[in-house]
C-alpha cells in the first residue's frame, strides 16, 4: 500500500479542488490536462462567497476554555482568489497562488476578520503523447504549500488539511508545510464535449496527514464563446476504515458553472458549489470537531465538511509575451475558410483549387471563375434563385419560381410578365392587368374584370350585374340570395338576413319601437311599450288588480292601498288616519268621533295671528291625550299651517303652533319619543300615503306605529 501511494505521489500532478491553482481552458474546479504554451502569462482574480442561513458551527455556538458558550449567528465567509502562471517549455509551466480570506461574526471573539492564505507554488508537466493527444491528454505536477497564512483569524477552514487531528486548527492556513501530487487526464470525446479528471494525494510534513484529492467534470461547448461546466470534486482523509462516511462528510461538492470567453484571451467564469449539507439535514456526526486559538484563548466547535452553497466569479486573461499567437493569427487570417482544424492541417492553410477563399472541403462549387462574387459555400451568387448565377444572368430580378432560358430571362410571347410555360391566356392584349396565370385580373372572381368592376370585393358565389355589384332589390345592403325579407321598407334597419331588427324580440321592429328594452315575453302595444290598462303604474302582466280606478293609490302588485288597515281602500277612505282596531263606517271614519283624529285635528284652532289655542281646543287636545294613553304603540306627527295673510312670517307661526300642541302633550305625560312637531307655512303637504281628502290648512295629526315597550 505504501509503495502504491509513493508511486502515485511521484507520478501525479497537483490539481486542487479550488479554482485557479492550475490553468485550464475548460474546467473551473477540475482543470484540463494541457499546460500553458511557452511565453504565455496567465493571470486570474476572483471572489468567492459562502452562503448559509446557519452559523459556521453545527452547534450554533463556540465553547471557550472555561466552558462558556458563545452564541454564533450566520455570518459572511468570503475569499479573494489570486493566481499567476507562466509557460516555460512546450509541456511545462509554473504557477503561484495566494488568497485573502474574511470571516464575519465570531460570537464576540477576535476570530472575526481578514487574513492571508498559504502561498502555493506549482510545477506542471504535460506528457507529450503525440499519437493519442487528439483523444487523450495526460499531465503530472507537484505543488508545495508554504505556511504563510494568518493563523488566528476565521471560523471556516478553507481546506481539509487545515483540520489537524489532536491539534489546533486554523481557518486560513495549515500552519504546516505540505506537498501534493496528482495525475489528471482530459478525454476529448467530441469537439463540443471534454471530460476532465484528476486524482492525487496531499501530505502535511509535520503532522503527517494524508489526504486524497479528486475531481471529475464535463465541459460542454468548450470552444464556443459560452460553455457549460458540470463538475464534482472533493477532499478525503486516507483511512483504513470509515471510507464511505469520510467520502461524504470530509468534503464533497457539486459545481455547475458557465465560462464566457471575451475578447483578447479573457475569460469570465461564474459558478456555484453545492455541498452535501444542502441535500441533507445538518448533524454533528457529519462534521469535524476542531479547536482554534486566538491570543491564548481556545475555542471548540464543529464545522461541516463543505459549505451548503458557495458562489464565485473569476476573471482571467492570457498574455502572449512571445508574440507567437499574433504571428499564428496573421498566418491563419490569410488562409481560406476551412472546416478542417489547424491540427489536422498541420498548421498549414487548407487547399483551395479555385482560389475563391473557400477551402476545398467546404467549397460546393470548386470550379468558380476568379473575381466572381461568391457566398459562404463558395458558389456564385444567384440573387433571384433562377439557377443562373448573377455573372451570367441578363435578367437578374426574375420572379422566383419562373422558368427561364439560358440567359436567366423568361419566355413571354404576349409580354404580360407571365412566362409562356405558366400562361393560361397566351393572347393577352398589351397593357391588360393579368393574374399569376396570365389571364385578365378578376380579383373577386365574379366574371367582371377589375377594370370594369365597380364592386371589386363581391363575396364569392353571388349574382352580379354588369358593373360587378351584387343584386339587392329592396336596397337594404343584403344580397338577394341571402335576403330572407326581400320586401324591406326603404332605409329600414335590417340584420344580416335582410329582416328588420327587433332587439328586444317583442314583435315591433326597432325603427317603430319606442321602448326598445322591453323584457322578453311581455305584452306590448303598437309602439313596443308594455301595457298598463288601468293606468296605475303597474304593468298588466304584474298587476294582480287590473281594474283599479284611475289615480287610486296602489301597492307594487297594482292593488288599492288600505294604509290604516280599516278595511276601506285609501281612494274611498274619508278618514285615512284611523287608528288600528277602530270600528269605522262605510267611508272609513270612526263611528266614535273621539277616535277620529281628523275630526279632532279640525277642532284645534288658534286666536288669529297667534300661537294661543282657543279655549274650545283644549277638549280636542285632551281627547288626543286619551287616545295616546290607551294606545301605547301609537306615535303622532303634529303638522300645522296658517292661513295666507295671517302672519308676516307664516313658517315661524306654523312652527310655534305645532310646538304648543307638542308641549301640551308632553306636560300631560306623553313621552317625547312618541311625538314629532313640524310647521309648514301656509300649505300642508300631501300625505305620503297619497291621500287627497285631508284638510290642506290648519292642524293635521298623522299616527304611526312604534315598537311597544
Amino acid at each position: 500500500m505504501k509503495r502504491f501511494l509513493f508511486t502515485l505521489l511521484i507520478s501525479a500532478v497537483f490539481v486542487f479542488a479550488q479554482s485557479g491553482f492550475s490553468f485550464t481552458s475548460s474546467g473551473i474546479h477540475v482543470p484540463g490536462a494541457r499546460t500553458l504554451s511557452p511565453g504565455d502569462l496567465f493571470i486570474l482574480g476572483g471572489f468567492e462567497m459562502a452562503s448559509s442561513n446557519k452559523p459556521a458551527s453545527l452547534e450554533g455556538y463556540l465553547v471557550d476554555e472555561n466552558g462558556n458558550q458563545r452564541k454564533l449567528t450566520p455570518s459572511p465567509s468570503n475569499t479573494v482568489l489570486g493566481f499567476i502562471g507562466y509557460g516555460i517549455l512546450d509541456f511545462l509551466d509554473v504557477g503561484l497562488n495566494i488568497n485573502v480570506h474574511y470571516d464575519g461574526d465570531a460570537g464576540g471573539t477576535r476570530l472575526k476578520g481578514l487574513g492571508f492564505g498559504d502561498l502555493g507554488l506549482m510545477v506542471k508537466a504535460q506528457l507529450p503523447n503525440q499519437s493519442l493527444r487528439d483523444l487523450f491528454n495526460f499531465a503530472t505536477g507537484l505543488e508545495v504549500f508554504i505556511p504563510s497564512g494568518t493563523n488566528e483569524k476565521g471560523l471556516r477552514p478553507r481546506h481539509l488539511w487545515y483540520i489537524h487531528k489532536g491539534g489546533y486548527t486554523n481557518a486560513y492556513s495549515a500552519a504546516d508545510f505540505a506537498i501534493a501530487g496528482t495525475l489528471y487526464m482530459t478525454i476529448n470525446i467530441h469537439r463540443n464535449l471534454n471530460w476532465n479528471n484528476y486524482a492525487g494525494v496531499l501530505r502535511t510534513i509535520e503532522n503527517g496527514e494524508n489526504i486524497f484529492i479528486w475531481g471529475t467534470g464535463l465541459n460542454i461547448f468548450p470552444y464556443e464563446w459560452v460553455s457549460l461546466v458540470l463538475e464534482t470534486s472533493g477532499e478525503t482523509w486516507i483511512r483504513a476504515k470509515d471510507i464511505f462516511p469520510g467520502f461524504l462528510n470530509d468534503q464533497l461538492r457539486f459545481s455547475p458553472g458557465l465560462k464566457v470567453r471575451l475578447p483578447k484571451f479573457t475569460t469570465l467564469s461564474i459558478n456555484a458549489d453545492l455541498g452535501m449539507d444542502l441535500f441533507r439535514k445538518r448533524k454533528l456526526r457529519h462534521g469535524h470537531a476542531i479547536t482554534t486559538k486566538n491570543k491564548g484563548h481556545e475555542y471548540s466547535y464543529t464545522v461541516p465538511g463543505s459549505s451548503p452553497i458557495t458562489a464565485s466569479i473569476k476573471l482571467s486573461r492570457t498574455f502572449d509575451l512571445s508574440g507567437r499567437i499574433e504571428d499564428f493569427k496573421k498566418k491563419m487570417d490569410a488562409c481560406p475558410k476551412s472546416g478542417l482544424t489547424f491540427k489536422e492541417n498541420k498548421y498549414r492553410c487548407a487547399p483551395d483549387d479555385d482560389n475563391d477563399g473557400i477551402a476545398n472541403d467546404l467549397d460546393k462549387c470548386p470550379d468558380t471563375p476568379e473575381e466572381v462574387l461568391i457566398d459562404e459555400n463558395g458558389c456564385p451568387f444567384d440573387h433571384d434563385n433562377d439557377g443562373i448565377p448573377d455573372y451570367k444572368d441578363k435578367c437578374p430580378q426574375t420572379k422566383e419560381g419562373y422558368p427561364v432560358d439560358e440567359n436567366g430571362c423568361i419566355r413571354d410571347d404576349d409580354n404580360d410578365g407571365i412566362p409562356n410555360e405558366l400562361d393560361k391566356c397566351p393572347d393577352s392584349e398589351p397593357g391588360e392587368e393579368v393574374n399569376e396565370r396570365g389571364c385578365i385580373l378578376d380579383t373577386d372572381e365574379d366574371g367582371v374584370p377589375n377594370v370594369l368592376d365597380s364592386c371589386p370585393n363581391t363575396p364569392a358565389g353571388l349574382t352580379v350585374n354588369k358593373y360587378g355589384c351584387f343584386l339587392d332589390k329592396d336596397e337594404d345592403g343584403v344580397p338577394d340570395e341571402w335576403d330572407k325579407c326581400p320586401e324591406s321598407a326603404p332605409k329600414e334597419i335590417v340584420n344580416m338576413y335582410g329582416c328588420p331588427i327587433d332587439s328586444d324580440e317583442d314583435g315591433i321592429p326597432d325603427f317603430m319601437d319606442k321602448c326598445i328594452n322591453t323584457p322578453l315575453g311581455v305584452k306590448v302595444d303598437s309602439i313596443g311599450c308594455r301595457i298598463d290598462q288601468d293606468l296605475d303604474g303597474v304593468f298588466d302582466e304584474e298587476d294582480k288588480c287590473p281594474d283599479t280606478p284611475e289615480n287610486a293609490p296602489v301597492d307594487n302588485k297594482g292593488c288599492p292601498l288600505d294604509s290604516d288597515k280599516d278595511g276601506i281602500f285609501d281612494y274611498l277612505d274619508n278618514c285615512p288616519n284611523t287608528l288600528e282596531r277602530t270600528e269605522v263606517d262605510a267611508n272609513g271614519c270612526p263611528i266614535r268621533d273621539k277616535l277620529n283624529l281628523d275630526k279632532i285635528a279640525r277642532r284645534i284652532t288658534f286666536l288669529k295671528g297667534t300661537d294661543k289655542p282657543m279655549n274650545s281646543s283644549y277638549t280636542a287636545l285632551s281627547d288626543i291625550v286619551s287616545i295616546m294613553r290607551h294606545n301605547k304603540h301609537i306615535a303622532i306627527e303634529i303638522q300645522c299651517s296658517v292661513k295666507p295673510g295671517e302672519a308676516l312670517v307664516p313658517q315661524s307661526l306654523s312652527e310655534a303652533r305645532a310646538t304648543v300642541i307638542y308641549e301640551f302633550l308632553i306636560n300631560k305625560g306623553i313621552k317625547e319619543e312618541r311625538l314629532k312637531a313640524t310647521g309648514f307655512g301656509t300649505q300642508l303637504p300631501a300625505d305620503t300615503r297619497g291621500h287627497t281628502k285631508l284638510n290642506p290648512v290648519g292642524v293635521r295629526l298623522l299616527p304611526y306605529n312604534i315598537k311597544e315597550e
Side-chain angles (χ1 to χ4, degrees), residues 403-418:
V404 296
D405 57 21
E406 65 278 2
N407 297 316
C409 298
I410 64 173
R411 291 174 284 270
D412 180 16
D413 293 339
D414 56 1
N415 295 316
D416 59 0
I418 306 300

Side-chain angles (χ1 to χ4, degrees), residues 444 446 452-458 467-470:
D444 54 6
D446 59 358
L452 302 176
D453 201 335
S454 299
C455 303
N457 297 314
T458 305
Y467 304 109
C469 298
F470 59 75

Side-chain angles (χ1 to χ4, degrees), residues 551-553 570-574 576 602 683 685-696 700:
N551 297 324
D570 286 0
Y571 73 93
L572 299 174
D573 200 337
N574 292 332
R602 287 185 173 87
Q683 180 68 45
D687 185 10
T688 56
R689 299 172 181 174
H691 301 142
T692 58
K693 299 179 181 180
L694 301 176
N695 50 315
R700 181 188 295 163

